[in-house]
PDB file of all heavy atoms in Angstrom:
ATOM      1  N   PHE K 199     -16.411  43.799   7.964  1.00 82.00           N
ATOM      2  CA  PHE K 199     -16.162  42.656   8.925  1.00 82.00           C
ATOM      3  C   PHE K 199     -15.325  43.233  10.178  1.00 82.00           C
ATOM      4  O   PHE K 199     -14.235  43.796  10.023  1.00 82.00           O
ATOM      5  CB  PHE K 199     -15.463  41.517   8.242  1.00 82.00           C
ATOM      6  CG  PHE K 199     -15.261  40.272   9.175  1.00 82.00           C
ATOM      7  CD1 PHE K 199     -16.432  39.739   9.762  1.00 82.00           C
ATOM      8  CD2 PHE K 199     -14.087  39.694   9.368  1.00 82.00           C
ATOM      9  CE1 PHE K 199     -16.299  38.677  10.540  1.00 82.00           C
ATOM     10  CE2 PHE K 199     -13.962  38.532  10.166  1.00 82.00           C
ATOM     11  CZ  PHE K 199     -15.105  38.050  10.816  1.00 82.00           C
ATOM     12  N   VAL K 200     -15.987  42.960  11.267  1.00 74.00           N
ATOM     13  CA  VAL K 200     -15.439  43.619  12.554  1.00 74.00           C
ATOM     14  C   VAL K 200     -14.059  43.081  12.961  1.00 74.00           C
ATOM     15  O   VAL K 200     -13.205  43.756  13.485  1.00 74.00           O
ATOM     16  CB  VAL K 200     -16.393  43.520  13.823  1.00 74.00           C
ATOM     17  CG1 VAL K 200     -16.577  42.025  14.162  1.00 74.00           C
ATOM     18  CG2 VAL K 200     -15.895  44.285  14.888  1.00 74.00           C
ATOM     19  N   ALA K 201     -13.840  41.820  12.555  1.00 72.00           N
ATOM     20  CA  ALA K 201     -12.458  41.126  12.842  1.00 72.00           C
ATOM     21  C   ALA K 201     -11.570  41.240  11.732  1.00 72.00           C
ATOM     22  O   ALA K 201     -10.550  40.564  11.665  1.00 72.00           O
ATOM     23  CB  ALA K 201     -12.746  39.800  13.247  1.00 72.00           C
ATOM     24  N   PHE K 202     -11.722  42.210  10.790  1.00 72.00           N
ATOM     25  CA  PHE K 202     -10.867  42.334   9.677  1.00 72.00           C
ATOM     26  C   PHE K 202      -9.494  42.917  10.099  1.00 72.00           C
ATOM     27  O   PHE K 202      -9.509  43.746  11.068  1.00 72.00           O
ATOM     28  CB  PHE K 202     -11.469  43.250   8.653  1.00 72.00           C
ATOM     29  CG  PHE K 202     -10.624  43.527   7.436  1.00 72.00           C
ATOM     30  CD1 PHE K 202      -9.797  42.574   6.719  1.00 72.00           C
ATOM     31  CD2 PHE K 202     -10.358  44.857   6.987  1.00 72.00           C
ATOM     32  CE1 PHE K 202      -9.141  42.813   5.736  1.00 72.00           C
ATOM     33  CE2 PHE K 202      -9.582  45.172   5.971  1.00 72.00           C
ATOM     34  CZ  PHE K 202      -8.916  44.060   5.332  1.00 72.00           C
ATOM     35  N   GLY K 203      -8.372  42.473   9.659  1.00 71.00           N
ATOM     36  CA  GLY K 203      -7.071  42.796  10.171  1.00 71.00           C
ATOM     37  C   GLY K 203      -6.842  44.389  10.177  1.00 71.00           C
ATOM     38  O   GLY K 203      -6.238  44.884  11.106  1.00 71.00           O
ATOM     39  N   ALA K 204      -7.322  44.981   9.132  1.00 73.00           N
ATOM     40  CA  ALA K 204      -7.099  46.433   8.998  1.00 73.00           C
ATOM     41  C   ALA K 204      -7.861  47.210  10.067  1.00 73.00           C
ATOM     42  O   ALA K 204      -7.351  48.207  10.649  1.00 73.00           O
ATOM     43  CB  ALA K 204      -7.495  46.938   7.620  1.00 73.00           C
ATOM     44  N   ILE K 205      -8.949  46.817  10.450  1.00 76.00           N
ATOM     45  CA  ILE K 205      -9.818  47.382  11.550  1.00 76.00           C
ATOM     46  C   ILE K 205      -9.036  47.228  12.867  1.00 76.00           C
ATOM     47  O   ILE K 205      -8.914  48.119  13.715  1.00 76.00           O
ATOM     48  CB  ILE K 205     -11.225  46.902  11.664  1.00 76.00           C
ATOM     49  CG1 ILE K 205     -12.046  47.260  10.284  1.00 76.00           C
ATOM     50  CG2 ILE K 205     -11.931  47.346  12.762  1.00 76.00           C
ATOM     51  CD1 ILE K 205     -13.447  46.859  10.296  1.00 76.00           C
ATOM     52  N   VAL K 206      -8.551  45.989  13.122  1.00 75.00           N
ATOM     53  CA  VAL K 206      -7.900  45.692  14.323  1.00 75.00           C
ATOM     54  C   VAL K 206      -6.543  46.608  14.374  1.00 75.00           C
ATOM     55  O   VAL K 206      -6.221  47.092  15.459  1.00 75.00           O
ATOM     56  CB  VAL K 206      -7.493  44.232  14.500  1.00 75.00           C
ATOM     57  CG1 VAL K 206      -6.653  43.961  15.702  1.00 75.00           C
ATOM     58  CG2 VAL K 206      -8.827  43.467  14.472  1.00 75.00           C
ATOM     59  N   LEU K 207      -5.876  46.766  13.302  1.00 76.00           N
ATOM     60  CA  LEU K 207      -4.635  47.453  13.193  1.00 76.00           C
ATOM     61  C   LEU K 207      -4.940  48.831  13.538  1.00 76.00           C
ATOM     62  O   LEU K 207      -4.154  49.584  14.241  1.00 76.00           O
ATOM     63  CB  LEU K 207      -3.978  47.372  11.854  1.00 76.00           C
ATOM     64  CG  LEU K 207      -2.670  48.174  11.509  1.00 76.00           C
ATOM     65  CD1 LEU K 207      -1.614  47.804  12.553  1.00 76.00           C
ATOM     66  CD2 LEU K 207      -2.195  47.960  10.097  1.00 76.00           C
ATOM     67  N   MET K 208      -6.011  49.480  12.902  1.00 77.00           N
ATOM     68  CA  MET K 208      -6.309  50.899  13.205  1.00 77.00           C
ATOM     69  C   MET K 208      -6.663  51.150  14.541  1.00 77.00           C
ATOM     70  O   MET K 208      -6.266  52.118  15.189  1.00 77.00           O
ATOM     71  CB  MET K 208      -7.488  51.302  12.229  1.00 77.00           C
ATOM     72  CG  MET K 208      -7.134  51.416  10.784  1.00 77.00           C
ATOM     73  SD  MET K 208      -8.431  52.169   9.742  1.00 77.00           S
ATOM     74  CE  MET K 208      -9.524  50.772   9.670  1.00 77.00           C
ATOM     75  N   GLN K 209      -7.447  50.173  15.210  1.00 78.00           N
ATOM     76  CA  GLN K 209      -7.827  50.317  16.636  1.00 78.00           C
ATOM     77  C   GLN K 209      -6.634  50.299  17.511  1.00 78.00           C
ATOM     78  O   GLN K 209      -6.449  51.082  18.509  1.00 78.00           O
ATOM     79  CB  GLN K 209      -8.717  49.265  16.987  1.00 78.00           C
ATOM     80  CG  GLN K 209      -9.224  49.308  18.439  1.00 78.00           C
ATOM     81  CD  GLN K 209      -9.662  48.091  19.092  1.00 78.00           C
ATOM     82  OE1 GLN K 209      -9.295  46.999  18.604  1.00 78.00           O
ATOM     83  NE2 GLN K 209     -10.616  48.185  20.055  1.00 78.00           N
ATOM     84  N   THR K 210      -5.629  49.366  17.160  1.00 79.00           N
ATOM     85  CA  THR K 210      -4.360  49.306  17.878  1.00 79.00           C
ATOM     86  C   THR K 210      -3.523  50.665  17.858  1.00 79.00           C
ATOM     87  O   THR K 210      -3.004  51.107  18.848  1.00 79.00           O
ATOM     88  CB  THR K 210      -3.580  48.137  17.458  1.00 79.00           C
ATOM     89  OG1 THR K 210      -4.359  46.938  17.529  1.00 79.00           O
ATOM     90  CG2 THR K 210      -2.321  48.020  18.363  1.00 79.00           C
ATOM     91  N   ILE K 211      -3.442  51.188  16.696  1.00 78.00           N
ATOM     92  CA  ILE K 211      -2.693  52.417  16.475  1.00 78.00           C
ATOM     93  C   ILE K 211      -3.364  53.542  17.216  1.00 78.00           C
ATOM     94  O   ILE K 211      -2.850  54.390  17.883  1.00 78.00           O
ATOM     95  CB  ILE K 211      -2.559  52.738  15.041  1.00 78.00           C
ATOM     96  CG1 ILE K 211      -1.709  51.715  14.316  1.00 78.00           C
ATOM     97  CG2 ILE K 211      -1.963  54.112  14.842  1.00 78.00           C
ATOM     98  CD1 ILE K 211      -1.633  51.818  12.780  1.00 78.00           C
ATOM     99  N   LEU K 212      -4.797  53.623  17.068  1.00 79.00           N
ATOM    100  CA  LEU K 212      -5.431  54.748  17.794  1.00 79.00           C
ATOM    101  C   LEU K 212      -5.344  54.607  19.228  1.00 79.00           C
ATOM    102  O   LEU K 212      -5.255  55.590  20.008  1.00 79.00           O
ATOM    103  CB  LEU K 212      -6.943  54.780  17.298  1.00 79.00           C
ATOM    104  CG  LEU K 212      -7.147  55.155  15.868  1.00 79.00           C
ATOM    105  CD1 LEU K 212      -8.586  54.927  15.501  1.00 79.00           C
ATOM    106  CD2 LEU K 212      -6.720  56.561  15.519  1.00 79.00           C
ATOM    107  N   ARG K 213      -5.386  53.414  19.712  1.00 80.00           N
ATOM    108  CA  ARG K 213      -5.282  53.124  21.212  1.00 80.00           C
ATOM    109  C   ARG K 213      -3.939  53.565  21.649  1.00 80.00           C
ATOM    110  O   ARG K 213      -3.758  54.079  22.754  1.00 80.00           O
ATOM    111  CB  ARG K 213      -5.577  51.708  21.648  1.00 80.00           C
ATOM    112  CG  ARG K 213      -5.459  51.301  23.057  1.00 80.00           C
ATOM    113  CD  ARG K 213      -5.748  49.921  23.286  1.00 80.00           C
ATOM    114  NE  ARG K 213      -7.223  49.554  23.003  1.00 80.00           N
ATOM    115  CZ  ARG K 213      -7.613  48.395  23.055  1.00 80.00           C
ATOM    116  NH1 ARG K 213      -6.872  47.397  23.280  1.00 80.00           N
ATOM    117  NH2 ARG K 213      -8.895  48.122  22.857  1.00 80.00           N
ATOM    118  N   GLY K 214      -2.800  53.339  20.846  1.00 78.00           N
ATOM    119  CA  GLY K 214      -1.568  53.812  21.235  1.00 78.00           C
ATOM    120  C   GLY K 214      -1.422  55.219  21.338  1.00 78.00           C
ATOM    121  O   GLY K 214      -0.601  55.857  22.047  1.00 78.00           O
ATOM    122  N   GLU K 215      -2.372  55.950  20.701  1.00 75.00           N
ATOM    123  CA  GLU K 215      -2.376  57.496  20.669  1.00 75.00           C
ATOM    124  C   GLU K 215      -3.284  57.982  21.663  1.00 75.00           C
ATOM    125  O   GLU K 215      -3.532  59.190  21.774  1.00 75.00           O
ATOM    126  CB  GLU K 215      -2.609  58.003  19.268  1.00 75.00           C
ATOM    127  CG  GLU K 215      -1.702  57.623  18.140  1.00 75.00           C
ATOM    128  CD  GLU K 215      -0.323  58.291  18.405  1.00 75.00           C
ATOM    129  OE1 GLU K 215      -0.289  59.456  19.018  1.00 75.00           O
ATOM    130  OE2 GLU K 215       0.717  57.664  18.009  1.00 75.00           O
ATOM    131  N   GLY K 216      -3.935  57.047  22.463  1.00 82.00           N
ATOM    132  CA  GLY K 216      -4.806  57.386  23.483  1.00 82.00           C
ATOM    133  C   GLY K 216      -6.191  57.637  23.014  1.00 82.00           C
ATOM    134  O   GLY K 216      -7.046  58.285  23.683  1.00 82.00           O
ATOM    135  N   ILE K 217      -6.613  57.153  21.912  1.00 82.00           N
ATOM    136  CA  ILE K 217      -7.919  57.380  21.403  1.00 82.00           C
ATOM    137  C   ILE K 217      -8.662  55.946  21.410  1.00 82.00           C
ATOM    138  O   ILE K 217      -8.228  54.986  20.686  1.00 82.00           O
ATOM    139  CB  ILE K 217      -7.915  57.844  19.893  1.00 82.00           C
ATOM    140  CG1 ILE K 217      -7.122  59.247  19.884  1.00 82.00           C
ATOM    141  CG2 ILE K 217      -9.337  58.052  19.334  1.00 82.00           C
ATOM    142  CD1 ILE K 217      -6.949  59.747  18.461  1.00 82.00           C
ATOM    143  N   GLU K 218      -9.588  55.849  22.059  1.00 83.00           N
ATOM    144  CA  GLU K 218     -10.349  54.532  22.231  1.00 83.00           C
ATOM    145  C   GLU K 218     -11.483  54.601  21.174  1.00 83.00           C
ATOM    146  O   GLU K 218     -12.384  55.498  21.238  1.00 83.00           O
ATOM    147  CB  GLU K 218     -10.964  54.312  23.673  1.00 83.00           C
ATOM    148  CG  GLU K 218      -9.848  54.019  24.667  1.00 83.00           C
ATOM    149  CD  GLU K 218      -9.200  52.671  24.343  1.00 83.00           C
ATOM    150  OE1 GLU K 218      -9.972  51.833  23.753  1.00 83.00           O
ATOM    151  OE2 GLU K 218      -8.049  52.504  24.885  1.00 83.00           O
ATOM    152  N   VAL K 219     -11.545  53.564  20.225  1.00 81.00           N
ATOM    153  CA  VAL K 219     -12.558  53.562  19.319  1.00 81.00           C
ATOM    154  C   VAL K 219     -13.059  52.085  19.300  1.00 81.00           C
ATOM    155  O   VAL K 219     -12.341  51.085  19.397  1.00 81.00           O
ATOM    156  CB  VAL K 219     -11.968  53.822  17.877  1.00 81.00           C
ATOM    157  CG1 VAL K 219     -12.992  53.745  16.789  1.00 81.00           C
ATOM    158  CG2 VAL K 219     -11.328  55.269  17.882  1.00 81.00           C
ATOM    159  N   ASP K 220     -14.405  51.915  19.213  1.00 82.00           N
ATOM    160  CA  ASP K 220     -14.886  50.567  19.168  1.00 82.00           C
ATOM    161  C   ASP K 220     -14.940  50.006  17.844  1.00 82.00           C
ATOM    162  O   ASP K 220     -15.252  50.533  16.816  1.00 82.00           O
ATOM    163  CB  ASP K 220     -16.388  50.638  19.577  1.00 82.00           C
ATOM    164  CG  ASP K 220     -17.165  49.367  19.646  1.00 82.00           C
ATOM    165  OD1 ASP K 220     -16.443  48.332  19.484  1.00 82.00           O
ATOM    166  OD2 ASP K 220     -18.385  49.294  19.833  1.00 82.00           O
ATOM    167  N   PRO K 221     -14.234  48.750  17.739  1.00 79.00           N
ATOM    168  CA  PRO K 221     -14.060  48.135  16.374  1.00 79.00           C
ATOM    169  C   PRO K 221     -15.398  48.018  15.613  1.00 79.00           C
ATOM    170  O   PRO K 221     -15.470  48.113  14.340  1.00 79.00           O
ATOM    171  CB  PRO K 221     -13.439  46.763  16.609  1.00 79.00           C
ATOM    172  CG  PRO K 221     -12.852  46.926  18.022  1.00 79.00           C
ATOM    173  CD  PRO K 221     -13.669  47.937  18.784  1.00 79.00           C
ATOM    174  N   LEU K 222     -16.452  47.684  16.349  1.00 81.00           N
ATOM    175  CA  LEU K 222     -17.902  47.647  15.642  1.00 81.00           C
ATOM    176  C   LEU K 222     -18.255  48.972  15.082  1.00 81.00           C
ATOM    177  O   LEU K 222     -18.784  49.004  13.953  1.00 81.00           O
ATOM    178  CB  LEU K 222     -18.903  47.090  16.621  1.00 81.00           C
ATOM    179  CG  LEU K 222     -20.314  46.934  16.094  1.00 81.00           C
ATOM    180  CD1 LEU K 222     -20.344  45.962  15.030  1.00 81.00           C
ATOM    181  CD2 LEU K 222     -21.246  46.613  17.284  1.00 81.00           C
ATOM    182  N   HIS K 223     -17.986  50.079  15.633  1.00 82.00           N
ATOM    183  CA  HIS K 223     -18.200  51.399  15.261  1.00 82.00           C
ATOM    184  C   HIS K 223     -17.482  51.590  13.902  1.00 82.00           C
ATOM    185  O   HIS K 223     -17.980  52.190  12.945  1.00 82.00           O
ATOM    186  CB  HIS K 223     -17.967  52.378  16.307  1.00 82.00           C
ATOM    187  CG  HIS K 223     -18.463  53.835  15.943  1.00 82.00           C
ATOM    188  ND1 HIS K 223     -19.772  54.184  15.907  1.00 82.00           N
ATOM    189  CD2 HIS K 223     -17.799  54.875  15.646  1.00 82.00           C
ATOM    190  CE1 HIS K 223     -19.906  55.400  15.573  1.00 82.00           C
ATOM    191  NE2 HIS K 223     -18.619  55.798  15.431  1.00 82.00           N
ATOM    192  N   MET K 224     -16.140  51.231  13.982  1.00 82.00           N
ATOM    193  CA  MET K 224     -15.386  51.486  12.800  1.00 82.00           C
ATOM    194  C   MET K 224     -15.965  50.548  11.545  1.00 82.00           C
ATOM    195  O   MET K 224     -15.861  51.044  10.461  1.00 82.00           O
ATOM    196  CB  MET K 224     -13.949  51.042  13.041  1.00 82.00           C
ATOM    197  CG  MET K 224     -13.294  51.951  14.167  1.00 82.00           C
ATOM    198  SD  MET K 224     -11.649  51.389  14.685  1.00 82.00           S
ATOM    199  CE  MET K 224     -10.745  51.611  13.086  1.00 82.00           C
ATOM    200  N   ALA K 225     -16.376  49.465  11.878  1.00 81.00           N
ATOM    201  CA  ALA K 225     -16.893  48.556  10.807  1.00 81.00           C
ATOM    202  C   ALA K 225     -18.222  49.074  10.259  1.00 81.00           C
ATOM    203  O   ALA K 225     -18.291  49.026   8.959  1.00 81.00           O
ATOM    204  CB  ALA K 225     -17.003  47.109  11.345  1.00 81.00           C
ATOM    205  N   LEU K 226     -18.969  49.613  11.080  1.00 84.00           N
ATOM    206  CA  LEU K 226     -20.233  50.107  10.568  1.00 84.00           C
ATOM    207  C   LEU K 226     -19.972  51.369   9.648  1.00 84.00           C
ATOM    208  O   LEU K 226     -20.797  51.642   8.681  1.00 84.00           O
ATOM    209  CB  LEU K 226     -21.142  50.609  11.783  1.00 84.00           C
ATOM    210  CG  LEU K 226     -21.732  49.522  12.591  1.00 84.00           C
ATOM    211  CD1 LEU K 226     -22.460  49.975  13.675  1.00 84.00           C
ATOM    212  CD2 LEU K 226     -22.540  48.481  11.852  1.00 84.00           C
ATOM    213  N   TRP K 227     -18.933  52.115   9.929  1.00 84.00           N
ATOM    214  CA  TRP K 227     -18.713  53.243   9.005  1.00 84.00           C
ATOM    215  C   TRP K 227     -18.070  52.776   7.655  1.00 84.00           C
ATOM    216  O   TRP K 227     -17.996  53.537   6.703  1.00 84.00           O
ATOM    217  CB  TRP K 227     -17.658  54.194   9.588  1.00 84.00           C
ATOM    218  CG  TRP K 227     -18.354  55.163  10.488  1.00 84.00           C
ATOM    219  CD1 TRP K 227     -18.330  55.222  11.803  1.00 84.00           C
ATOM    220  CD2 TRP K 227     -19.094  56.257  10.111  1.00 84.00           C
ATOM    221  NE1 TRP K 227     -19.108  56.297  12.389  1.00 84.00           N
ATOM    222  CE2 TRP K 227     -19.577  56.958  11.320  1.00 84.00           C
ATOM    223  CE3 TRP K 227     -19.370  56.928   8.884  1.00 84.00           C
ATOM    224  CZ2 TRP K 227     -20.265  58.131  11.235  1.00 84.00           C
ATOM    225  CZ3 TRP K 227     -20.106  58.008   8.818  1.00 84.00           C
ATOM    226  CH2 TRP K 227     -20.636  58.648  10.043  1.00 84.00           C
ATOM    227  N   GLY K 228     -17.849  51.460   7.490  1.00 85.00           N
ATOM    228  CA  GLY K 228     -17.468  50.967   6.179  1.00 85.00           C
ATOM    229  C   GLY K 228     -18.601  50.599   5.326  1.00 85.00           C
ATOM    230  O   GLY K 228     -18.499  50.379   4.111  1.00 85.00           O
ATOM    231  N   ILE K 229     -19.874  50.506   5.964  1.00 89.00           N
ATOM    232  CA  ILE K 229     -21.110  50.285   5.127  1.00 89.00           C
ATOM    233  C   ILE K 229     -21.421  51.211   4.038  1.00 89.00           C
ATOM    234  O   ILE K 229     -21.693  50.883   2.887  1.00 89.00           O
ATOM    235  CB  ILE K 229     -22.299  49.995   6.135  1.00 89.00           C
ATOM    236  CG1 ILE K 229     -21.999  48.794   6.997  1.00 89.00           C
ATOM    237  CG2 ILE K 229     -23.531  49.848   5.320  1.00 89.00           C
ATOM    238  CD1 ILE K 229     -23.162  48.493   7.990  1.00 89.00           C
ATOM    239  N   PRO K 230     -21.469  52.650   4.430  1.00 92.00           N
ATOM    240  CA  PRO K 230     -21.632  53.515   3.309  1.00 92.00           C
ATOM    241  C   PRO K 230     -20.661  53.384   2.116  1.00 92.00           C
ATOM    242  O   PRO K 230     -21.056  53.548   0.986  1.00 92.00           O
ATOM    243  CB  PRO K 230     -21.699  54.882   3.986  1.00 92.00           C
ATOM    244  CG  PRO K 230     -21.845  54.602   5.422  1.00 92.00           C
ATOM    245  CD  PRO K 230     -21.182  53.323   5.675  1.00 92.00           C
TER     246      PRO K 230
END
Side-chain angles (χ1 to χ4, degrees):
F199 186 49
V200 67
F202 178 48
I205 292 179
V206 177
L207 176 61
M208 287 187 289
Q209 184 203 22
T210 303
I211 294 174
L212 292 173
R213 178 178 294 172
E215 297 296 328
I217 304 173
E218 287 294 335
V219 181
D220 185 6
L222 180 60
H223 188 70
M224 297 173 65
L226 290 177
W227 273 104
I229 295 178

